[in-house]
Amino acid sequence: MREKTHDTRWMVCVALMAAIVIVLANTPLGMIQLPIIKATTVHIPVIIGAILLGPFAGGVLGAVFGICSVISNTMAPTLLSFAFSPFMSTTGFPGVAKALWISIGCRILIGVAAGWLWRLCLHFHWNQTICLPIVGFAGSMVNTITVMGSIYLFFAREYAQAQDVGLTAVWGLIMGTITASGIPEAVASAVLVLALGKVLLKFMKKSLI
């Protein structure tokens, strides 16, 4: 009976975190205005969910994030929506598969990587105050690097056309995005995961006693 109760709590917690992901993905709350760029916060509940509930839950939450990305890029397409929506593909089935990987697969990796990194920290009994921002930073960078890296690998030509630059300039643009957007997002993620994670870990520990 106790195990079933814990399973129910796990599912409820995943559902609640998924709801937060959906809200952030569909409102301005999902963006933080920085001095130069806007940083996304949608991946933060994915990372926190992975810490609290494990890598599998993190993967589920990442998939929810990815599905929201597909819907957003399909309903309100941008110049780069071909890389995130299978319905915007101009290269047939291969383009559909690549877009699904970038929009959903890369986001699943956020939760899986964050969850296992947190478990590694627990295995070595590292201090939570140190581990939480590390996991937050790493999870955010997994998002940026896998998404932008996959765009470079799969859609370099289309990306060059969308940005109206030569193919040889794509690598510089990708690295510029990782530096200018990815690093500030990762820093914001580290701070928020530390602040929220410590509170939620204490709450989860008490609720499971």
Side-chain angles (χ1 to χ4, degrees):
M1 180 64 71
R2 185 177 179 83
E3 183 178 348
K4 289 183 179 180
T5 301
H6 284 190
D7 288 343
T8 302
R9 286 177 177 174
W10 183 89
M11 289 187 289
V12 170
C13 289
V14 171
L16 288 173
M17 297 301 291
I20 294 172
V21 170
I22 294 170
V23 169
L24 289 177
N26 291 281
T27 67
L29 295 173
M31 304 296 289
I32 295 177
Q33 183 64 59
L34 297 176
I36 300 176
I37 51 88
K38 288 184 177 181
T40 182
T41 61
V42 184
H43 58 283
I44 292 173
V46 177
I47 297 169
I48 292 176
I51 291 171
L52 298 176
L53 306 168
F56 180 73
V60 172
L61 295 170
V64 173
F65 176 13
I67 292 169
C68 289
S69 178
V70 170
I71 294 172
S72 174
N73 281 279
T74 302
M75 301 302 293
T78 66
L79 287 175
L80 298 180
S81 288
F82 60 83
F84 296 94
S85 172
F87 303 102
M88 304 297 293
S89 172
T90 58
T91 55
F93 180 77
V96 169
K98 293 171 184 177
L100 286 174
W101 161 252
I102 293 173
S103 59
I104 299 177
C106 291
R107 273 54 187 273
I108 291 174
L109 287 180
I110 301 171
V112 174
W116 282 111
L117 180 56
W118 178 251
R119 287 192 173 181
L120 181 65
C121 291
L122 293 180
H123 177 74
F124 288 105
H125 304 287
W126 292 339
N127 191 294
Q128 285 186 2
T129 304
I130 296 174
C131 294
L132 284 169
I134 289 175
V135 175
F137 187 93
S140 181
M141 289 306 295
V142 166
N143 177 46
T144 302
I145 292 173
T146 56
V147 168
M148 297 308 299
S150 295
I151 289 175
Y152 178 73
L153 289 174
F154 299 142
F155 293 109
R157 190 174 301 279
E158 292 84 351
Y159 187 83
Q161 292 173 353
Q163 298 291 345
D164 195 24
V165 297
L167 189 60
T168 55
V170 172
W171 175 251
L173 288 175
I174 294 292
M175 292 305 298
T177 300
I178 291 174
T179 302
S181 178
I183 293 178
E185 284 180 5
V187 172
S189 177
V191 173
L192 290 172
V193 169
L194 173 60
L196 297 172
K198 292 193 74 171
V199 174
L200 292 173
L201 282 168
K202 289 181 180 178
F203 175 79
M204 288 287 290
K205 185 176 181 180
K206 291 180 180 179
S207 67
L208 293 175
I209 294 175

